[in-house]
Amino acid sequence: DKLKNLLVSKGSDHLRVVLRQSQEICLQLYEKELYTSHAFNDILTRSPVHVTPQQTRVLARLYKWRDEVARREDEGTRYVLPNNLLLAVAQAMPTDRVGL
């Protein structure tokens, strides 16, 4: 109410402009990024960490798993597992839940 009153006090056009902009934002459709088999490379190029070929394969598989879970649960991929943790798990390559 305070914001509305402030906008009205500045003139009726301000309120209309804000409402129109809000409507435009609400009408935007969010599209999830497309999964590709090499999309995980983006994580590697942004990280100074060196990974072995085996760790790279683990990262690729984890990246695919994260994408599948995110789509199934209708969540963002970074909500499921942030990139820094994805890379850390790939580096550690745990063999059981305790190691994870």
Side-chain angles (χ1 to χ4, degrees), residues 8-78:
V8 168
S9 72
K10 296 200 180 264
S12 61
D13 283 346
H14 284 62
L15 180 60
R16 251 181 271 167
V17 168
V18 168
L19 289 174
R20 189 184 73 241
Q21 289 173 342
S22 176
Q23 183 182 30
E24 289 171 5
I25 290 171
C26 290
L27 290 174
Q28 291 177 359
L29 180 63
Y30 173 75
E31 294 183 19
K32 292 186 178 189
E33 55 190 65
L34 294 175
Y35 170 82
T36 65
S37 61
H38 297 288
F40 70 91
N41 283 322
D42 189 45
I43 295 173
L44 293 175
T45 58
R46 294 179 186 199
S47 173
V49 176
H50 175 73
V51 294
T52 66
Q54 186 178 14
Q55 290 169 326
T56 302
R57 289 190 298 276
V58 171
L59 178 64
R61 182 61 191 114
L62 284 170
Y63 192 91
K64 183 177 182 182
W65 167 84
R66 181 180 72 168
D67 184 76
E68 291 167 355
V69 170
R71 289 178 191 282
R72 183 177 62 242
E73 301 295 326
D74 195 27
E75 293 290 351
T77 54
R78 288 174 183 88

Side-chain angles (χ1 to χ4, degrees), residues 77-88:
T77 54
R78 288 174 183 88
Y79 177 81
V80 173
L81 188 64
N83 286 345
N84 62 324
L85 292 180
L86 193 74
L87 187 55

